Amino acid sequence: MYILAIYLAAGVIVGILAGLLGIGGGTVIVPILDITLPLQNVNFSVAHHMALATSMANIMFTSVTSARSHSKRGTVRWDIVKAMTPGLLIGTLGGTFVVSSIPTAPLKVVFCVFLTYTAVQRLMDIKPRASFHLPGTFGLFLAGTFVGVVASFVGIGGGVLIIPFLTMCNVPLINTIGASAAMGFPIAVAGTAGFIYNGWGHAALPEYSLGFVYLPALAGLVVASMLVTPYGVKLSHSLPVKTLKRCFGVLLLAMAARMAYSIM
C-alpha cells in the first residue's frame, strides 16, 4: 500500500508541474520509479527501461489535460504543434528501439546528465534570447525529430527542449508553454507504443507489465496527476514561477546525485 501512496503522491507533483511549467513530469517520474521498482524486486536490467516507458505512458494522460486547459485560454499555437508532430512521432518511436537495446547503466548516466542540465537551467534562470524567426515546416519537422529522440532517452514530454527552442524563435512564453503541453501527447503516444513493442515478452519483466510499461505505477500516477493538472494551469497565472523553477532545480540536482550514486 505504501508503494501505491508513493505513486499517488508522485502523480500530484507531476500534475502540478505539467500545468504550471508545461512539462510532462518525466524528470520527476523516472527518478521516483528508479527507486520504487527495485523495492518491488524488479530486475535491475529492466527497471530503468520500465521507468522511462511508464513515464511516457503517464504523459499521454497529463498532456491531454494540460493542453485542454491551455487551449481554453487560447494559448496553444496549433500551427506549430501540427508542423512539429510528424518529427516528434518519428524521432520518439525510432528512439525507443535504440534505448531498448542499451544497458541500464549507460542510460542512467545519460539521464543524470540531462537532470543536471535541467537543474542548472532552472537554478540560474537561463533564458534563451529570441535570436531568430520561427523556421518553416521542414525546419520544425527536424526540430521535432531531435526533440523526439531525446525524449525517448529520458522519458520526458519534451518541454525542457521545446520551450527554449520556441523562445529562441521569438514565440511568446505563454504560447510556448501551451504548445509544449500539446506536443507532449504525440511524443508520449509514440514512446509508449515503442516501449510496449520492444519490451513485449521480455523474460525479466514483472507481472502486470505491458511491455516495459508497469501498469500499477501508471494507474496511481494517472489518477492523481489528471485530477490536479488543471490546478497547475491556474497556478501558472498567479504564482511566482521563477521561484518555483529554482526550487524545482534544487530537487532535480538531488535526484541526479541519488541516481549517480545508484550507478556506482
Side-chain angles (χ1 to χ4, degrees):
M1 287 299 293
Y2 78 95
I3 293 293
L4 179 59
I6 290 175
Y7 292 142
L8 288 171
V12 170
I13 296 172
V14 168
I16 292 293
L17 291 175
L20 186 64
L21 304 175
I23 64 175
T27 47
V28 176
I29 293 175
V30 175
I32 289 176
L33 292 180
D34 268 323
I35 295 172
T36 58
L37 289 174
L39 292 177
Q40 297 174 262
N41 297 316
V42 173
N43 193 294
F44 176 80
S45 66
V46 295
H48 189 70
H49 295 79
M50 291 176 67
L52 296 175
T54 306
S55 173
M56 281 288 191
N58 180 76
I59 292 168
M60 283 197 301
F61 299 92
T62 57
S63 61
V64 169
T65 306
S66 181
R68 183 183 299 142
S69 298
H70 283 288
S71 184
K72 288 180 180 179
R73 296 174 180 267
T75 60
V76 179
R77 283 282 302 272
W78 290 108
D79 57 325
I80 298 175
V81 175
K82 290 177 182 178
M84 291 185 67
T85 291
L88 294 172
L89 292 171
I90 293 172
T92 309
L93 182 61
T96 62
F97 283 80
V98 178
V99 171
S100 299
S101 65
I102 298 177
T104 294
L107 282 180
K108 282 194 170 187
V109 171
V110 171
F111 195 85
C112 285
V113 171
F114 170 75
L115 275 186
T116 303
Y117 160 77
T118 306
V120 171
Q121 189 181 52
R122 305 290 178 179
L123 288 170
M124 299 184 67
D125 195 26
I126 298 174
K127 295 180 179 179
R129 296 181 179 179
S131 52
F132 54 89
H133 295 293
L134 197 68
T137 302
F138 184 65
L140 289 174
F141 169 80
L142 291 179
T145 303
F146 174 76
V147 170
V149 171
V150 175
S152 68
F153 270 77
V154 291
I156 62 170
V160 173
L161 299 175
I162 293 171
I163 292 175
F165 168 68
L166 293 181
T167 300
M168 290 174 64
C169 294
N170 209 25
V171 178
L173 180 60
I174 192 67
N175 296 122
T176 68
I177 293 176
S180 172
M183 283 188 269
F185 184 71
I187 289 174
V189 169
T192 302
F195 280 123
I196 289 175
Y197 177 83
N198 285 286
W200 196 266
H202 198 296
L205 291 174
E207 289 186 308
Y208 310 114
S209 296
L210 186 62
F212 284 123
V213 177
Y214 187 51
L215 297 178
L218 178 62
L221 289 166
V222 166
V223 168
S225 61
M226 288 192 71
L227 287 174
V228 302
T229 294
Y231 296 100
V233 174
K234 292 180 180 179
L235 289 173
S236 69
H237 296 272
S238 59
L239 290 181
V241 177
K242 182 182 293 187
T243 301
L244 292 171
K245 284 182 178 180
R246 287 175 177 168
C247 292
F248 184 47
V250 173
L251 175 63
L252 293 182
L253 280 180
M255 289 179 169
R258 194 272 169 197
M259 186 174 289
Y261 178 77
S262 72
I263 303 172
M264 299 176 181

